[in-house]
Amino acid sequence: MIRKIIHIDQDKCNGCGICAKACHEGAIEVIDGKARLLRENFCDGFGDCLPGCPTGAIPFEEREAAAYDAAAVKAAKETKTPARAAKSAICPGTGKRQLQPEATPIMILSAEAPAIPATKPVTQLQNWPVQIKLAPVKAPYFDSAELLIAADCTAFAYGDFHNQFMTGKVTLIGCPKLDAVDYSEKLTEILANNNIQGLTVLRMDVPCCGGLERAAKKALQASGKLIPWQVVTLSTDGKVLD
């Protein structure tokens, strides 16, 4: 029969498994690092798996497909074995988490000069995941947040990255050259669906980082919101250029 059913673009799929978790019918599993629609008759065509996909790899299509079999879905749920449950488990690394940075640095003694106290570096990370591609479009930590969108190289170029740029902000990172995606759609959803108070784009002084800045600007315009924002550029030797 011809009906509406999902299609998983294997080229866009990053294997995060969010769609498999969202599919209550058990039609999708992650195999060899890619999500696959294994049972067409388990797909109800409602698309619960679509909104969570960070790469936009799952559209609807109308094609010849087996009819949805509610009885088979129910039977499968009742007989699901622990081994099969483990096989379809989602990597915990993609689950969203709100973190609480330490408010006060811990003081330790320096080995070189024991009499002089040295500050132990303290993470300022407030959220997980941090990759733009894996970030949820709505999360509690986005509420009334200052958002930092940083090129991933910036954390290595700037020595005091956490204290100078991450403190008090929700951080998202990415590289438009390596990911080869347009982040603007994901960022638009984040800005549109949350009460973001301000936005800082942190980029390197290299041409490929222009894609990150353009995506942020495009997202700001598409969101329809007036959000204060700024762009900070770092040189490859770690200096702030503007």
Side-chain angles (χ1 to χ4, degrees):
M1 63 179 295
I2 302 293
R3 71 181 184 97
K4 184 172 74 172
I5 194 169
I6 67 161
H7 167 73
I8 302 176
D9 186 328
Q10 296 296 292
D11 291 332
K12 291 183 178 180
C13 177
N14 65 3
C16 68
I18 294 174
C19 59
K21 185 176 181 179
C23 179
H24 304 297
E25 314 302 304
I28 302 173
E29 289 188 14
V30 177
I31 298 177
D32 297 329
K34 296 286 185 179
R36 304 182 189 277
L37 177 60
L38 294 187
R39 293 166 286 276
E40 291 185 349
N41 62 323
F42 280 30
C43 178
D44 56 15
F46 290 156
D48 290 345
C49 57
L50 271 68
C53 180
T55 65
I58 311 178
F60 276 124
E61 63 179 1
E62 287 195 8
R63 60 174 174 84
E64 184 72 31
Y68 172 64
D69 191 339
V73 171
K74 182 178 179 181
K77 288 180 178 179
E78 292 174 350
T79 59
K80 191 170 186 179
T81 64
R84 193 174 152 200
K87 181 180 178 182
S88 61
I90 307 305
C91 172
T94 62
K96 61 185 178 186
R97 285 180 283 162
Q98 184 163 357
L99 309 178
Q100 184 61 53
E102 293 182 40
T104 305
I106 299 172
M107 302 302 290
I108 62 174
L109 294 180
S110 169
E112 291 77 16
I116 302 174
T119 302
K120 178 182 178 181
V122 176
T123 181
Q124 295 301 316
L125 187 61
Q126 297 188 18
N127 57 286
W128 188 268
V130 295
Q131 288 286 345
I132 298 172
K133 290 174 63 175
L134 299 179
V137 297
K138 189 171 179 61
Y141 49 72
F142 283 132
D143 186 41
S144 300
E146 293 284 334
L147 183 62
L148 172 67
I149 300 175
D152 48 15
C153 293
T154 59
F156 297 93
Y158 196 83
D160 200 25
F161 178 79
H162 277 245
N163 290 327
Q164 184 70 26
F165 295 110
M166 288 177 59
T167 300
K169 296 183 178 67
V170 170
T171 302
L172 297 178
I173 67 170
C175 175
K177 183 172 183 178
L178 295 181
D179 286 342
V181 296
D182 182 358
Y183 295 129
S184 61
E185 291 186 8
K186 168 63 81 67
L187 295 176
T188 297
E189 290 188 76
I190 291 173
L191 296 178
N193 288 299
N194 300 278
N195 183 28
I196 303 297
Q197 295 296 299
L199 171 63
T200 297
V201 177
L202 183 63
R203 56 164 293 182
M204 300 299 298
D205 186 29
V206 293
C208 54
C209 265
L212 189 67
E213 181 177 343
R214 288 191 296 272
K217 289 180 179 179
K218 186 176 178 181
L220 282 165
Q221 294 172 346
S223 71
K225 293 185 175 181
L226 295 176
I227 300 174
W229 69 287
Q230 63 173 334
V231 177
V232 179
T233 303
L234 301 179
S235 64
T236 53
D237 58 354
K239 295 182 174 63
V240 177
L241 300 180
D242 53 13

